[in-house]
Amino acid sequence: QVQLVESGGGSVQAGGSLRLSCVASGYTYSSSSNCLAWFRQAPGKEREGVAAIYTDGGSGYYADSVKGRFTISQDNAKNTVYLQMNSVKPEDTAMYYCAADPGVCGGTWYALWRYNYWGQGTQVTVSS
């Protein structure tokens, strides 16, 4: 059973930075080809894709709203994917979730329906 555990959320002022972490267990990260993604959900809004990365390598995928500010990365040795959030804005306030799906990320990386495994989420609050 794959488990994903997020951490690193908190309160930050606009313009600041946070780094979220997602530790995967239940499979060997480096020997399994997966799309690992970050999603977020603000109160009253739908869950949306933020960024994704393929565990076999390659560049990340990003939502337009975070391009140039957020960076997704991974540490295979630690079974961990990160989301570095810079220049945060109040509209980045949301619960952030990590998700995993077997296979490449591709053009549907942001699609909720393709992800089999989800973490419990970590709250990010950005004040103005």
Side-chain angles (χ1 to χ4, degrees), residues 20-22 29 36 38 53 72-74 79-82 98:
L20 306 184
S21 301
C22 172
Y29 189 102
L36 273 293
W38 286 97
I53 192 166
I72 190 169
S73 63
Q74 58 187 333
N79 277 19
T80 301
V81 62
Y82 303 98
C98 181

Side-chain angles (χ1 to χ4, degrees), residues 4-25:
L4 304 171
V5 179
E6 304 96 333
S7 63
S11 297
V12 62
Q13 288 192 328
S17 298
L18 276 177
R19 189 177 78 157
L20 306 184
S21 301
C22 172
V23 179
S25 62

Side-chain angles (χ1 to χ4, degrees), residues 80-97:
T80 301
V81 62
Y82 303 98
L83 184 69
Q84 179 66 43
M85 305 169 61
N86 296 331
S87 302
V88 295
K89 305 175 181 179
E91 51 263 44
D92 293 322
T93 295
M95 185 71 79
Y96 282 72
Y97 298 91

Side-chain angles (χ1 to χ4, degrees), residues 24-60:
S25 62
Y27 69 97
T28 304
Y29 189 102
S30 60
S31 65
S32 302
S33 300
N34 289 272
C35 181
L36 273 293
W38 286 97
F39 286 78
R40 67 186 181 186
Q41 188 167 19
K45 294 189 176 181
E46 294 185 352
R47 192 171 296 190
E48 63 176 0
V50 175
I53 192 166
Y54 185 44
T55 55
D56 277 6
S59 58

